[in-house]
Every structure is written in C-alpha cells, then in structure tokens.
Amino acid sequence: MIYADIPLTFAIRQAVAVTWGVSDGEGVRLHGGEESAAYLLGEHVVRVGPTWRTTAEAEWCHAIGRAAAERLPEAVAPLPTPSGDTVIRVAGRPISLWPYVEGSWPDSDLPEQRVQGARLLARLHTALAGVRPPPRPRPAFQEEGLDGTPPSDAADLADPTLDRWLAAFHRERPRRHPLHGDFYTGNTLARNGTIVAVLDWDETFVGAPELELAAAALEWGDDELGPSKEFVEAYLEEGGTAAPLTEEELAQLVRHKLRREYAYFHKAVAAGVVHDEDDLDYHERRVALFHSLAR
C-alpha cells in the first residue's frame, strides 16, 4: 500500500504550537495514511491532509467524529482550537490535532478480534443513529453510484444489473444516519487484545447502515464471505442499526464497495501513484472478487 509522503514542516509545527500550545520536538511519522500523514508529537497526533480537502469538508467530518466521541468511549475525535474549530490551514493543507492513543492494528484473522470489530461498529452506529448533521459539503467517494446512476469513474466495471439493484435497495431501506465511511482494521487500534479506538473520520457520510456493515464485513472477513457472515452476525447480536442482510444483499453491497475501490485505484494512478507488485496483485484479486460475486 502506498502511503502519503507529506512532511511535518517547521511552519506546520509552529502553527500547531501557536494554535494548540503543543510543541514537542520534530514529530515521528506514524504508520498508515493514503491521503493524510500523521505525526506523533508528544502526547498528541498532528494530521496533515491533502491540499484538495476543503476546510468545510474536514470540519463536517470532524463534527461527526466529535458526536461519536460524546457517546462512544472508543471514538477518537480532534481537539478544538480556541475558536472551537478543528482545522487550520498551513501552505494550503488542512491541519488537525488529535489525542494519541497507544495501540496497533487488530488482526482480523483472529475470530475474537473480528467479533470485537463487529460489536464496535454496531455500537458506533447506535451512537450515531440520532445525529442529524447538515448536508455534507461534498459527497463522499463511496456515495457515487448508490442511487443507481452508473459511476463515471468505473466504466470498465459497468454493471446495469448492479445499478438497478442499488437503486431499488436504497429506495426500500430508507433508514439513514452518519457512517464512519472507512471502517477497517487500519482505522482502529487494539491494545492487549482489546480494540480501544476507532480513528479517521475523513470518509464519513450519511447513508444506510447496511452499506457500511457489508463493506466492513468484507474488510474484517479478509475477502471471504464465510468470516464476513460471522462479522454480520456479531454486529446484529450487538444490536447495530442495520437490518439483517440476505446473501444477495451482502454480495451486492460488497460489489458496490469493490467498484468504488477500483475507481480509487485508477484515480491514484492518474495522480501519478506507482503501485508495487503487491498492490497490483491486491487490485487484481479485488476485481476478480467483484466479478465472482455477480454469479
């Protein structure tokens, strides 16, 4: 996986010191981050975002994270500035400050951690079920195609049957509330075998909870529908807001996620990202899965 190569410049550190009063050395790059880079600065984390992400979009996403943190102990939210905002801009980049939580990515190969992830997602959905934010300033990447309109950035995976199915599904499942948007192991942290944090609200949006349940089940099930079904079962046992999914519903919602991944991959290529052999192999396997689930 290609991670963002964004430095923590002196100007950014100076702005963080002036705004939040945090100045602890030059910062240590933390693992992960395809679009943003995170740096450990003492007991805090500085996140440096891409220039194309607007302040309005970042603030909207952060507001969802803050709402989740008010209701869910594991939700990690950005720290406000003295004015109450959560974003400053330095050299055109959105900068935010977060509390540091010690931990490492959980292992979805371990059934107990997979179950923990499912139960955490259920509690997160319950926490956000009553939150009613204003319209998102810009649609999230995952939203394209949900209304049945063929996504223009994934023409090679055109599938009118999937488009019609998505349109019908979202007409028949009217429940909507904020979703994390990217609930996979890399946006959570575990310590001593227990998941203690859910991070990164950049992709949050308002949608049907079944959509996120299916996407997360794929990620935590390691691309296999057997473990994915176990994830769904644990989520439902915990009382999440999504309705039970039939095998067809799980497969079709997973295919929507895979098609959006395909579009993201080619968006990165167009931006100049050069993927290594592992990335290319992963991409090819995901495309193959998209086709195999149509049968």
Side-chain angles (χ1 to χ4, degrees), residues 181-235:
D182 196 16
F183 191 86
Y184 81 112
T185 55
N187 281 333
T188 60
L189 294 173
R191 190 169 59 244
N192 298 324
T194 300
I195 299 177
V196 296
V198 55
L199 317 161
D200 190 353
W201 305 91
D202 289 348
E203 301 303 322
T204 190
F205 65 98
V206 174
E210 295 82 8
L211 174 68
E212 179 152 80
L213 173 58
L218 172 70
E219 296 294 345
W220 290 76
D222 290 331
D223 303 350
E224 298 179 16
L225 287 193
S228 294
K229 292 175 184 176
E230 294 171 7
F231 186 96
V232 171
E233 290 171 3
Y235 170 96

Side-chain angles (χ1 to χ4, degrees), residues 8 12 16 37-41 44-48 95-98:
L8 184 66
I12 293 174
V16 168
Y39 289 86
L40 178 61
L41 210 62
H44 298 87
V45 173
V46 178
R47 294 191 78 234
V48 186
I95 311 298
S96 53
L97 188 73
W98 305 68

Side-chain angles (χ1 to χ4, degrees), residues 145-165:
L146 286 178
D147 63 354
T149 303
S152 60
D153 54 4
D156 288 343
L157 296 188
D159 189 331
T161 299
L162 174 60
D163 298 333
R164 288 191 295 270
W165 188 93

Side-chain angles (χ1 to χ4, degrees), residues 40-274:
L40 178 61
L41 210 62
E43 297 181 354
H44 298 87
V45 173
V46 178
R47 294 191 78 234
V48 186
T51 55
W52 52 261
R53 179 166 292 131
T54 67
T55 298
E57 182 180 9
E59 291 281 6
W60 189 94
C61 294
H62 290 175
I64 302 301
R66 294 171 76 178
E70 292 174 357
R71 300 162 174 82
L72 184 71
E74 294 91 343
V76 180
L79 301 175
T81 68
S83 65
D85 298 325
T86 57
V87 177
I88 61 173
R89 297 195 83 86
V90 179
R93 295 188 179 277
I95 311 298
S96 53
L97 188 73
W98 305 68
Y100 173 65
V101 179
E102 184 179 357
S104 58
W105 292 356
D107 186 351
S108 58
D109 286 334
L110 300 176
E112 60 271 23
Q113 295 210 339
R114 186 184 309 128
V115 168
Q116 281 188 48
R119 294 188 183 281
L120 175 57
L121 180 62
R123 290 187 289 111
L124 174 59
H125 282 180
T126 300
L128 292 175
V131 176
R132 297 290 181 268
R136 200 179 196 277
R138 180 168 59 180
F141 196 75
Q142 294 295 327
E143 291 185 79
E144 186 162 353
L146 286 178
D147 63 354
T149 303
S152 60
D153 54 4
D156 288 343
L157 296 188
D159 189 331
T161 299
L162 174 60
D163 298 333
R164 288 191 295 270
W165 188 93
L166 286 169
F169 180 84
H170 283 82
R171 283 196 305 269
E172 296 161 6
R173 300 290 182 99
R175 183 165 198 178
R176 302 286 186 273
H177 63 67
L179 310 175
H180 180 274
D182 196 16
F183 191 86
Y184 81 112
T185 55
N187 281 333
T188 60
L189 294 173
R191 190 169 59 244
N192 298 324
T194 300
I195 299 177
V196 296
V198 55
L199 317 161
D200 190 353
W201 305 91
D202 289 348
E203 301 303 322
T204 190
F205 65 98
V206 174
E210 295 82 8
L211 174 68
E212 179 152 80
L213 173 58
L218 172 70
E219 296 294 345
W220 290 76
D222 290 331
D223 303 350
E224 298 179 16
L225 287 193
S228 294
K229 292 175 184 176
E230 294 171 7
F231 186 96
V232 171
E233 290 171 3
Y235 170 96
L236 295 172
E237 288 175 358
E238 189 68 16
T241 59
L245 295 172
T246 66
E247 189 159 338
E248 179 190 15
E249 290 169 340
L250 177 60
Q252 295 287 49
L253 291 174
V254 161
R255 294 183 73 231
H256 167 74
K257 173 179 170 54
L258 292 170
R259 189 160 63 171
R260 297 316 297 145
E261 283 187 4
Y262 176 92
Y264 187 87
F265 177 89
H266 286 281
K267 175 185 175 183
V269 170
V273 172
V274 178

